[in-house]
Amino acid sequence: MKDFEFPLPPIDEQKRIAEILWAADTAAEAYELAVLDLERLIDVYCDKNFLLHESRKKKPNVPAGSRIGYITDIAIIDPSIPKGLPDDLDVSFIPMENVMEGGGLNYQETKPLGEVRTGYTYFEENDILFAKITPCMENGKGAIAQHLTNNKAMGSTEYYVFRAVEQDDTRFIYHLTMSNVFRKRAERWMQGSAGQRRVPKDFFTRRPIVIPDSKNRKRIGLTLENLQLQKAKIRKHINVIRAGALVYLQKSLSQLGAAHV
């Protein structure tokens, strides 16, 4: 390090560069705090709207118009592949590594159905993916499957696939299964040895939830969708600020280096 040479600006220029970089860092930190506030708001909102109180000593608080039921009352789990699909039909192929922590898909490969028909899980456009194996489940891997080739896909056997009985329930079910409070309760149901623990399917058929009426399910789903979009926008601002600060620093040092030469 003692032999590393770099252009050293005059002290006034150092102060000017530092002030700009500190301002960028302060703005980014403020946005980070906003993200944390939104995440806390989302958690509180999910806890209020989705699940029953765990205590057996307290009577569950079921809002008017809602009922106690199971996720299987509003979603089909692991729908089967339709008969008669040809082997040469191109479909999306989505392994676990292409499902993002916190939700979403980051890449889709296309393969002929015949290559992936067996040994993988089938799903369709707007189906919901839920990672059932540790640590993917605890890390929040899940997605709404969208922009699929021919509206069909094959993927990891470590997904549970949920298909909303009513299409308007898709966002509600997705945000339910993505919520921290839901996944923490699913974690307590996990079975298996270390490194191979999975959420059993009967978690969804035996763990009751509060099911609002269809109008409120749609409202809750849209509200959470908007909150997540706001969080994504803030994260984009953070990335822009930090990238801009780095470009500014590199440009300033480059200009100094050119002047020095």
Side-chain angles (χ1 to χ4, degrees), residues 50 71 74-75 124-129 143-146 162-178 217-218 220-222 225:
F50 285 146
I71 194 170
I74 56 175
E124 296 181 355
E125 188 81 6
N126 291 320
D127 284 350
I128 298 150
L129 305 181
I144 298 178
Q146 293 181 320
F162 296 94
R163 182 173 298 165
V165 175
E166 298 180 17
Q167 192 63 46
D168 282 348
D169 285 340
T170 298
R171 287 189 182 91
F172 176 86
I173 297 166
Y174 170 66
H175 290 294
L176 166 64
T177 59
M178 287 298 297
R217 293 199 299 271
K218 184 176 181 179
I220 292 167
L222 287 172
E225 188 82 1

Side-chain angles (χ1 to χ4, degrees), residues 65-102:
S66 299
R67 61 185 174 88
I68 297 174
Y70 303 90
I71 194 170
T72 49
D73 293 339
I74 56 175
I76 300 167
I77 301 182
D78 292 341
S80 57
I81 185 169
K83 294 181 180 179
L85 293 181
D87 282 347
D88 61 355
L89 178 69
D90 285 337
V91 298
S92 291
F93 179 70
I94 305 174
M96 183 66 77
E97 56 264 30
N98 297 137
V99 178
M100 299 171 63
E101 295 179 5

